[in-house]
């Protein structure tokens, strides 16, 4: 594979954002510096209410920065006309608006609106772009289905196809995997990654799915209360421990080993021996059951699975827990 | 796009048939063939038929067509813009706004103790359009601030009741003659207009419909909501004014000339969506226009059945037809699913 280009398409410098309430300025975000690269998938992570939506609105040109600069391809966002901005930037928003009578193909074709005449008539080239977007998102089998008759995950893919048909270099998605099941979440995020790499687009995804984001993103933007925006590859942020910024509570911590958030357990007073992975799950079960200390040593054996505590053996973690609770 | 486009020739044929039916029904029944030959050649079997058709029934039928087109187009625009299946000229108070304008013109002079001379069709139309524009601007100002469509509906209803309260006060203080004039106007009538007024209405419908057809693409984008539309380069702020201006002229002008005509504006766009199974405005705008014209011609024909000496007020007929229609739409299928 040829090396991926490393060109920033979007650049924020010393950005300050907020909104007006009763004539007073309410600052939401300040001193933001970031760069978004073509050919990369960037995930914006942060707790609810930290200002992710405000940042997205600023990038979309819906609110003006109070201070600092926000440049798209080297020019301020505000200098683009709505029509030109639409050719540079496409979005998939959280609001669930679906005209039920519309077919998937018609929805994807709406992406050509910045390019068509006043009637919205599609040229042959427009039609090709639409078909290609449908193929890329692997929804060709849904082309003629109505939006009211397909699943949430399929609709989300159709919305992504619409954004692709808009033929913009920058695609922004606001929580595209919310309300979706696990398989769909993985599928959509890997699809977005493929699009970023293969179609040479800059893809910015706002998400709360840390684990899937680690698997798929090239770059993380961490936005947390009171901290400047942290940008870096997920791997670097994990190794440096900066990922824990997302977790202000001491009880929950990121486990570099398992690549996910975990409740910190106090298991100094429980001794379990056996194969590591099995011990892990037994310990988790005990911890969740609120068992802080066990006098005897616990032995976990595999093939067949057995847990031995003193002179008692158990087939299931559940049995062990109920025994410990009864004594 | 291609599917169901065969329905357009069928509906144009239906429009022709409804027009003939509308022209032939009334206190005197005139056969279809006579109407056709009379209109085409100018030779009528009876001079009374010529009088009836040319001076009374044809202008009335044209008004029905114009009003059917205008009300359906304004209903469809509002439903798409507000993303609300219940939006329409009546629910959002535009028609009551037009009513207020006309009431002020007809009743205020009488109520304040001086007679307004020169209440002609232009003055009524202007008053209606101004009233409609006023209320619609008020509703849109609120719509600007609240994004929730339920709130908007309530606000529209509140505007409507506030306006009717003002009309009640005006009626209370006005003289009997002015009151009668206004009451008759409020029952709705397609037939009271001469050729001058018909052409004025025709011009208004043309002016009001023009921005609709010029903004087809924007309305299609608005199907996904204002934020998506903006992200596709649509100037939504500008579109809001296009919508306000167009529905104000269409619904306001029609209400001014014909009085309130209920339900058409809400029901016809839904019928068009059901019949054409589409949400594409390239189909829905002409489809709704055709269907609105057909429906109002038929409603007028129902009010004219032979044997009845006088005609039923059109507003009553459209309500009697429209209310069960909307109820059945709601009961039959998920309203918002097809929307």
């Amino acid at each position: 594979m040829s090396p991926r280009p490393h060109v920033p398409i979007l650049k924020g410098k010393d950005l300050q954002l907020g909104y007006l309430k009763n004539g007073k300025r309410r600052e939401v975000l300040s001193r933001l510096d970031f760069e978004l690269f073509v050919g990369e998938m960037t995930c914006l992570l942060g707790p609810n209410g930290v200002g992710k939506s405000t940042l997205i609105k600023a990038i979309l040109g819906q609110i003006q920065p109070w201070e600092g600069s926000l440049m798209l391809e080297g020019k301020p966002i505000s200098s683009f006309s709505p029509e030109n901005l639409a050719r540079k930037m496409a979005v998939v928003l959280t609001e669930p608006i679906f005209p039920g009578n519309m077919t998937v193909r018609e929805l994807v074709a709406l992406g050509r609106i910045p390019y068509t005449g006043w009637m919205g008539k599609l040229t042959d080239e427009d039609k090709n772009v639409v078909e290609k977007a449908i193929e890329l998102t692997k929804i060709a089998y849904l082309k003629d289905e109505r939006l009211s008759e397909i699943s949430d995950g399929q609709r989300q893919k159709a919305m992504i196809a619409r954004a692709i048909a808009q033929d913009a270099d920058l695609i922004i998605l606001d929580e595209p995997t919310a309300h979706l099941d696990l398989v769909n979440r993985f599928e959509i995020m890997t699809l977005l990654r493929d699009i970023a790499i293969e179609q040479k687009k800059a893809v910015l995804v706002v998400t709360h799915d840390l684990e899937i984001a680690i698997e798929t993103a090239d770059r993380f933007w961490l936005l947390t209360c009171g901290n400047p925006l942290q940008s870096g590859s997920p791997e670097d942020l994990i190794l440096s421990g900066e990922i824990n910024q997302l977790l202000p509570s001491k009880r929950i911590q990121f486990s570099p080993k398992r690549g996910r958030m975990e409740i910190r357990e106090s298991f100094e007073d429980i001794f379990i021996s056996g194969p590591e992975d099995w011990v892990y799950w037994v310990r988790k079960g005990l911890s969740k059951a609120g068992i802080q200390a066990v006098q005897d040593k616990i032995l976990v054996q595999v093939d067949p699975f057995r847990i031995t505590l003193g002179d008692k053996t158990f087939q299931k973690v559940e049995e062990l827990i109920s025994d410990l609770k009864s004594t | 796009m291609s599917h169901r486009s065969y329905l357009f020739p069928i509906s144009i044929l239906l429009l022709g048939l409804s027009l003939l039916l509308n022209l032939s029904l009334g206190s005197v029944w005139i056969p279809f063939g006579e109407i056709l030959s009379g209109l085409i050649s100018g030779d009528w079997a009876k001079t009374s038929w010529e009088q009836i058709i040319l001076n009374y029934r044809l202008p009335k039928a044209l008004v029905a067509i114009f009003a059917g087109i205008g009300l359906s187009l304004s209903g469809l625009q509002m439903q798409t813009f507000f993303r609300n299946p219940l939006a329409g000229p009546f629910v959002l108070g535009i028609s009551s706004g037009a009513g207020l304008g006309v009431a002020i013109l007809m009743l205020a002079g009488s109520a304040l103790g001086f007679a307004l001379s020169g209440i002609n069709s232009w003055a009524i139309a202007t008053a209606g359009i101004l009233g409609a524009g006023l209320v619609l601007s008020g509703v849109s100002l609120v719509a600007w601030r609240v994004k929730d469509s339920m709130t908007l509906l309530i606000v529209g209803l509140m505007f409507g009741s506030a306006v009717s309260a003002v009309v009640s006060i005006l009626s209370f203080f006005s003289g009997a003659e002015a009151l009668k004039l206004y009451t008759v106007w409020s029952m709705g009538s397609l037939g009271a207009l001469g050729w001058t007024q018909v052409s004025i209405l025709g011009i208004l419908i043309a002016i009001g419909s023009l921005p609709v057809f010029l903004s087809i693409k924007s309305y299609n984008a608005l199907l996904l909501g204002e934020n998506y539309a903006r992200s596709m380069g649509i100037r939504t702020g500008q579109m809001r004014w296009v919508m306000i201006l167009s529905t104000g002229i269409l619904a306001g002008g029609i209400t001014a000339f014909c009085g309130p005509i209920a339900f058409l504006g809400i029901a016809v766009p839904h019928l068009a969506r059901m019949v054409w199974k589409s949400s594409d405005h390239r189909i829905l705008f002409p489809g709704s226009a055709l269907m609105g014209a057909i429906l109002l011609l038929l409603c007028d024909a129902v009010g004219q059945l032979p044997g009845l000496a006088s005609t039923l007020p059109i507003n009553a007929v459209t309500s009697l037809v429209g209310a069960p229609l909307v109820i059945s739409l709601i009961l039959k299928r998920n309203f918002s699913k097809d929307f």
Side-chain angles (χ1 to χ4, degrees):
Chain A
M1 201 165 77
S2 58
R4 285 197 246 143
H6 213 62
V7 187
I9 183 172
L10 184 79
K11 206 169 171 176
K13 208 163 180 332
D14 210 15
L15 204 58
Q16 193 185 26
L17 300 169
Y19 59 95
L20 284 176
K21 195 175 183 187
N22 302 328
K24 277 186 203 143
R25 277 186 171 196
R26 284 271 175 91
E27 186 185 281
V28 178
L29 295 163
S30 63
R31 289 175 292 112
L32 291 183
D33 288 294
F34 53 81
E35 284 178 328
L36 197 66
F37 294 98
V38 167
E40 275 191 10
M41 169 148 140
T42 303
C43 280
L44 174 56
L45 295 139
N48 288 330
V50 79
K52 298 190 297 292
S53 301
T54 309
L55 177 57
I56 295 297
K57 274 186 192 165
I59 295 175
L60 291 176
Q62 290 177 4
I63 56 171
Q64 299 302 318
W66 286 345
E67 265 168 54
S69 69
L70 190 52
M71 313 286 259
L72 180 67
E73 291 181 349
K75 283 176 280 183
I77 297 245
S78 54
S79 73
F80 287 86
S81 73
E83 295 82 4
N84 283 335
L85 199 59
R87 295 176 184 207
K88 303 278 177 211
M89 215 189 300
V91 284
V92 175
L93 301 164
T94 34
E95 45 195 294
I97 295 176
F98 301 109
N101 250 336
M102 194 181 265
T103 63
V104 168
R105 193 207 305 260
E106 284 172 331
L107 175 73
V108 179
L110 284 183
R112 298 307 293 165
I113 278 182
Y115 302 90
T116 54
W118 63 275
M119 268 282 281
K121 195 164 169 44
L122 300 178
T123 63
D124 285 343
E125 197 207 323
D126 289 324
K127 283 179 190 158
N128 283 339
V129 176
V130 169
E131 291 301 320
K132 204 179 137 204
I134 288 176
E135 260 168 50
L136 277 174
T137 45
K138 303 179 186 75
I139 50 170
Y141 67 105
L142 290 171
K143 261 193 268 192
D144 298 313
E145 297 286 329
R146 289 179 194 284
L147 296 184
S148 57
E149 285 153 7
I150 60 177
S151 75
D152 289 346
Q154 291 169 331
R155 272 198 294 247
Q156 198 60 278
K157 282 183 201 164
M159 291 309 273
I160 293 169
R162 189 206 58 85
I164 294 171
Q166 210 170 318
D167 206 13
D169 284 338
L170 172 55
I171 300 180
I172 298 169
L173 303 101
D174 195 358
E175 296 190 37
T177 54
H179 316 300
L180 296 185
D181 63 41
L182 201 58
V183 176
N184 269 308
R185 279 193 250 170
F186 262 104
E187 268 189 24
I188 289 201
M189 293 292 272
T190 45
L191 170 70
L192 291 172
R193 179 183 172 76
D194 292 346
I195 289 162
I197 294 169
E198 285 159 21
Q199 307 297 314
K200 305 263 186 298
K201 291 187 189 300
V203 176
L204 176 62
V205 185
V206 179
T207 183
H208 292 293
D209 269 324
L210 178 63
E211 287 152 48
I212 303 176
I214 289 171
E215 296 295 321
T216 49
D218 294 292
R219 184 177 294 273
F220 272 8
W221 287 357
L222 303 184
L223 205 53
T224 48
C225 267
N227 296 316
L229 188 144
Q230 288 280 344
S231 171
S233 79
E235 294 76 19
D236 283 331
L237 292 171
I238 290 168
L239 291 174
S240 67
E242 281 168 305
I243 196 93
N244 279 312
Q245 276 185 12
L246 290 173
L247 312 159
S249 139
K250 287 272 169 288
R251 262 199 80 202
I252 307 171
Q253 250 202 341
F254 188 81
S255 149
K257 197 166 172 184
R258 300 206 172 251
R260 66 171 179 209
M261 302 293 169
E262 280 182 349
I263 297 179
R264 245 225 314 226
E265 292 131 4
S266 52
F267 31 66
E268 291 81 31
D269 297 333
I270 305 180
F271 299 98
I272 310 178
S273 56
E276 197 188 339
D277 285 352
W278 274 262
V279 169
Y280 171 82
W281 291 109
V282 173
R283 181 159 276 160
K284 189 155 210 78
L286 294 179
S287 157
K288 264 157 79 184
I291 293 162
Q292 304 276 334
V294 179
Q295 249 123 45
D296 293 316
K297 254 190 177 180
I298 298 174
L299 178 68
V300 181
Q301 283 168 294
V302 192
D303 277 335
F305 177 67
R306 260 178 306 144
I307 306 170
T308 320
L309 172 67
D311 51 354
K312 287 179 272 187
T313 44
F314 306 93
Q315 249 81 58
K316 287 181 176 172
V317 182
E318 209 178 333
E319 289 167 10
L320 169 70
I321 290 169
S322 65
D323 183 77
L324 284 170
K325 277 194 171 169
S326 62
T327 52
Chain B
M1 177 79 198
S2 57
H3 55 268
R4 299 210 169 203
S5 43
Y6 63 91
L7 284 171
F8 279 106
I10 295 178
S11 2
I12 290 169
L13 198 71
L14 272 177
L15 178 65
L17 283 177
S18 327
L19 178 62
L20 274 179
L21 184 72
N22 185 287
L23 288 175
S24 77
L25 289 179
S27 51
V28 187
W29 187 73
I30 305 174
F32 282 18
E34 295 295 331
I35 298 170
L36 277 178
S37 70
L39 284 177
I40 293 165
S41 65
D43 291 330
W44 295 86
K46 294 183 190 171
T47 41
S48 65
W49 286 0
E50 182 179 2
Q51 291 292 320
I52 291 174
I53 293 287
L54 289 187
N55 292 335
Y56 183 68
R57 290 194 192 166
L58 193 58
K60 181 168 63 77
L62 283 179
V63 169
I65 292 175
F66 291 154
I69 292 173
L71 289 174
S72 312
L73 288 185
S74 51
L76 178 55
Q77 286 186 79
M78 298 185 85
Q79 288 177 1
T80 299
F81 199 96
F82 291 119
R83 292 299 311 140
N84 194 312
L86 283 179
F90 262 75
V91 179
L92 292 185
I94 300 172
S95 295
S96 25
L100 177 69
V102 174
I104 288 175
L105 183 73
M106 288 181 175
L107 303 177
S110 160
L112 299 174
F114 62 87
L116 277 173
S117 58
I119 299 184
N120 57 26
S121 40
W122 278 115
I124 295 178
T126 314
I129 290 168
L130 284 179
L134 189 78
V135 172
L136 191 54
S137 318
V139 173
S140 331
L141 276 177
V142 177
W144 222 299
R145 298 178 66 103
V146 295
K147 291 274 174 262
D148 178 29
S149 50
M150 208 56 189
T151 320
L152 187 69
L153 275 192
I154 296 166
V155 168
L157 287 173
M158 290 304 113
F159 265 87
S161 15
V163 163
S164 2
V166 175
V167 172
S168 303
I169 293 170
L170 283 174
S171 320
F172 184 75
F173 286 108
S174 65
E177 205 163 309
L179 192 59
K180 171 100 199 275
L181 198 67
Y182 180 75
T183 311
V184 170
W185 173 86
S186 72
M187 287 178 185
S189 159
L190 301 170
L193 306 183
W195 276 108
T196 331
Q197 285 108 317
V198 174
S199 28
I200 294 171
L201 186 61
I203 292 168
L204 284 179
I205 300 302
I207 295 174
S209 307
L210 195 68
V212 176
F213 286 95
L214 289 178
S215 327
I216 283 179
K217 182 170 103 168
S218 308
Y219 276 109
N220 275 343
L222 280 166
L223 282 173
L224 298 182
E226 276 190 71
N227 285 333
Y228 271 115
R230 211 174 297 139
S231 84
M232 292 187 271
I234 303 297
R235 295 163 192 259
T236 49
Q238 209 169 301
M239 275 306 295
R240 201 182 277 258
W241 290 110
V242 167
M243 192 269 304
I244 289 174
L245 211 68
S246 164
T247 49
I249 292 175
L250 290 173
I254 292 161
T255 313
F257 277 115
C258 312
I261 298 173
F263 279 103
L264 217 68
I266 298 180
V268 169
H270 289 294
L271 278 176
R273 281 187 202 100
M274 268 173 64
V275 169
W276 272 275
K277 282 215 179 299
S278 174
S279 47
D280 188 339
H281 288 82
R282 278 174 291 179
I283 288 171
L284 286 185
F285 276 133
S288 302
L290 276 170
M291 209 153 228
I294 294 171
L295 208 64
L296 199 52
L297 279 172
L298 293 180
C299 281
D300 182 50
V302 168
Q304 300 273 345
L305 286 175
L308 288 171
S310 54
T311 60
L312 296 174
I314 189 67
N315 193 13
V317 181
T318 53
S319 301
L320 285 175
V321 174
L325 200 74
V326 171
I327 292 172
S328 72
L329 279 176
I330 293 172
L331 291 182
K332 210 173 143 197
R333 48 182 69 221
N334 188 342
F335 222 35
S336 49
K337 201 176 149 187
D338 269 359
F339 179 55

